[in-house]
Amino acid sequence: SAPSVESDVSRVATLDRAAFVRAVLASNPSIESARQGWRAALARVKQAGSFEDPMLELQVAPLSLATSKVPWGYEVMARQQLPWFGKRSLDASIAAAEAEATKSDFEAMKRELAMTAVTLYEQYFVVQRSLDINAEHVKLMLAMRDAATAQLASGRGSSQDALLAEAELGQMERDAIMLVSRRDVGVAQMNELLHRPPDAHLPPPPANLAAPDAAIGNQTRLQAEATHGRADIAALRQRAHAEEVRAQRAERDAYPDFSVSTSYNSMWDMPEHRWMVGLGL
């Protein structure tokens, strides 16, 4: 079962990147909608490869019911439609390719949403670390300003040093205001992905993020893997295959479909004529 958003996000001391992505994927309704669409496409595969429903007909001679001079007259017929050879397998192939394309669409949506979540998380991490660094710089500048003020009071320093320190502190305060604004916007966007109120509390990110693996391979191999593994490219290939099979299926439409039937008519005088079998096209 999918982890709850609250347990992954709100009840932790620091917000883990993987936990945030899991929570986004678990709480987004478009993911569930795409999953159900994939399930519906799989169900259509079974339908596409099956025969049409057989037909059963019953006809009654109503005037025979109102008299006792003749037996009850009726006719029963069963009929089954049979498509031309190969049509059912082609229909199943089309449905299977479209189901695979729907699955790839589902995977592409998950990857796109996860990528958005990772991007917002890393922006959140950068802004939070920038705020921490800014706070440390403010402490250092306050100490430098106090030292400059003390030297000026003792007659050994210059007023310019204290003024420069005050100017730097003012710039740092403006930077902090801008960073807080960026952080609030990022938090609102992250909460939107989680389908939570924009001002809902988010725990701070950890102090450090794991560095990417340096030995990730050469560029050519990475490009080949990215092209082969992209779900949206796979969906396009599968839909192209479905259209190719659909063209083959269209060629079969020129061939007739068959129907086989059997019937029993109680109103024939000769019993040998009452049961009939038929072939139609």
Side-chain angles (χ1 to χ4, degrees):
S1 59
S4 68
V5 174
E6 293 300 323
S7 62
D8 267 0
V9 173
S10 298
R11 302 176 184 177
V12 291
T14 58
L15 182 60
D16 179 70
R17 177 170 51 192
F20 173 67
V21 173
R22 285 197 306 269
V24 168
L25 295 179
S27 62
N28 195 282
S30 59
I31 295 294
E32 182 59 26
S33 176
R35 182 183 292 110
Q36 296 301 330
W38 175 29
R39 293 180 61 185
L42 289 176
R44 286 192 291 270
V45 175
K46 298 180 180 179
Q47 291 178 327
S50 61
F51 289 103
E52 292 186 16
D53 293 337
M55 297 294 296
L56 180 65
E57 296 181 14
L58 172 64
Q59 300 187 55
V60 178
L63 297 181
S64 68
L65 303 177
T67 179
S68 60
K69 295 181 180 181
V70 295
W72 178 33
Y74 66 92
E75 182 180 7
V76 179
M77 175 179 289
R79 180 185 294 111
Q80 174 65 58
Q81 191 79 10
L82 298 174
W84 186 263
F85 306 103
K87 285 185 177 181
R88 286 193 308 118
S89 61
L90 290 174
D91 288 339
S93 297
I94 294 171
E98 290 178 343
E100 287 297 318
T102 304
K103 177 185 177 182
S104 297
D105 289 339
F106 168 61
E107 295 294 337
M109 180 179 293
K110 286 176 58 178
R111 289 189 181 187
E112 182 178 353
L113 191 60
M115 185 63 188
T116 302
V118 169
T119 301
L120 288 176
Y121 179 90
E122 292 182 350
Q123 292 175 355
Y124 180 49
F125 172 82
V126 170
V127 171
Q128 188 61 49
R129 294 288 74 80
S130 298
L131 280 169
D132 295 341
I133 293 172
N134 182 272
E136 292 297 325
H137 287 175
V138 168
K139 291 179 182 180
L140 292 174
M141 192 55 62
L142 286 173
M144 293 175 63
R145 184 199 62 182
D146 293 342
T149 302
Q151 288 185 355
L152 180 62
S154 64
R156 295 193 302 271
S158 170
S159 60
Q160 185 177 2
D161 294 336
L163 291 174
L164 287 175
E166 286 291 346
E168 289 293 332
L169 283 171
Q171 182 62 44
M172 291 177 184
E173 290 177 359
R174 287 191 294 271
D175 292 342
I177 293 173
M178 294 295 296
L179 289 171
V180 168
S181 176
R182 287 174 54 191
R183 182 188 62 186
D184 293 344
V185 171
V187 167
Q189 291 174 329
M190 294 170 73
N191 280 322
E192 181 182 4
L193 287 183
L194 294 169
H195 287 262
R196 304 168 73 213
D199 56 349
H201 170 71
L202 277 180
N208 296 292
L209 289 180
D213 187 4
I216 57 177
N218 60 65
Q219 183 177 1
T220 303
R221 183 177 64 84
L222 289 177
Q223 288 178 349
E225 290 181 357
T227 303
H228 178 74
R230 282 190 58 142
D232 51 350
I233 294 179
L236 290 175
R237 288 180 178 142
Q238 289 146 1
R239 287 196 169 91
H241 175 65
E243 293 303 321
E244 291 174 355
V245 179
R246 188 172 280 110
Q248 299 175 21
R249 175 63 174 82
E251 295 175 356
R252 300 292 178 98
D253 286 338
Y255 297 91
D257 294 333
F258 295 90
S259 65
V260 292
S261 62
T262 181
S263 65
Y264 182 84
N265 191 328
S266 68
M267 293 174 287
W268 286 99
D269 291 335
M270 291 179 288
E272 293 82 1
H273 290 174
R274 292 176 182 175
W275 178 46
M276 302 284 288
V277 294
L279 175 66
L281 58 88

